[in-house]
Amino acid sequence: MAKKEPEQTGKRPTSTRKPSRPREDVKPPERPASSSRKKQEPAPTKAASRPRGKRTQPPPEPPRHKRNLRLRALIAVVLFTLVAVLIIEPSILDAIWPFDAPAPQAIADPDAPLATFYAPAVLHWAPQIEAWARAYELNPNVIAIVMQIESCGDPEAISFAGALGLMQVMPLHFDDGENMLNPDTNVRRGMNFFNECLRQYADWDIGLALACYNGGPGVVYRDMSTWPAETQRYYRWATGLWEDVVRGDGESPTLDNWLESGGQSLCTRAASRIAEEAS
């Protein structure tokens, strides 16, 4: 059989030679940049962003010596106004001047001065009142106010309700066997209860603490209009005396009104009792 010649396909025969390596010193041609990339536009300069027109300059600062003159003028005006106000109303100086003014009365200041307007029977106990104030860490005027209203200094006073002694303490506050009329014992029990009222129930409100002392802790949580009439009077007299103490002018209109309202008879008995004990 005759051999069949291969048909001509038009393709070049595949070479069996290995491709030669490209020369290293020949660089491949650079690829042209893509036409789809956006060209970066240069950033606008400051000159281009400024609006056209005349440039405005900031106002020049005043010289330092002119600023100093303005400051001095302002200080002079303030001082002149202050002097004028003090000339027109001199009492304003007492409110703003920190010297030679009476120190404020603090409830727990045992070294505060004892006022001199109390009844003579109360001032009879002045040395003991000051000692008791230091012992119970209270203002001596607090002890004197309670003594003034409760007994006016009568160590053997007994009320219709059964309260006893200088501070008119109810028997339930004493231990068995204690001498309830002994001044030291009576004041100790009375001030222990007052301190409880002041710190635990009244939150350092002197008026509420005094109302608690007279009417019991329950009055602290009630409206004043619902208090017993005696406690309302007690609150009014006691807070009035405290205000007279704080004012510090040596007089007490509240005490004068209290004496005229029936307190004088209590003080008369107290003075007689002290005179009897002294004789």
Side-chain angles (χ1 to χ4, degrees), residues 6 18 23 69 74 76 90 102 122-123 134 177 202 240 243 257 261:
K18 294 182 179 179
R23 291 176 59 184
L69 286 176
L74 179 61
V122 174
L123 292 177
R134 290 189 295 271
E243 290 171 1
N257 294 333
S261 300

Side-chain angles (χ1 to χ4, degrees), residues 38-105:
K38 293 183 180 179
K39 295 182 179 180
Q40 295 184 355
E41 297 180 359
T45 61
K46 293 184 178 179
S49 62
R50 275 194 198 135
R52 294 181 180 180
K54 190 176 179 180
R55 296 177 61 186
T56 56
Q57 296 289 343
E61 294 186 1
R64 181 173 295 180
H65 69 278
K66 288 188 178 181
R67 294 200 302 269
N68 291 340
L69 286 176
R70 291 179 184 176
L71 181 60
R72 292 174 185 174
L74 179 61
I75 294 174
V77 170
V78 172
L79 291 177
F80 177 80
T81 304
L82 180 61
V83 171
V85 170
L86 293 177
I87 292 175
I88 296 172
E89 190 60 46
S91 61
I92 296 178
L93 184 62
D94 297 334
I96 63 176
W97 188 249
F99 307 106
D100 300 329
Q105 290 282 347

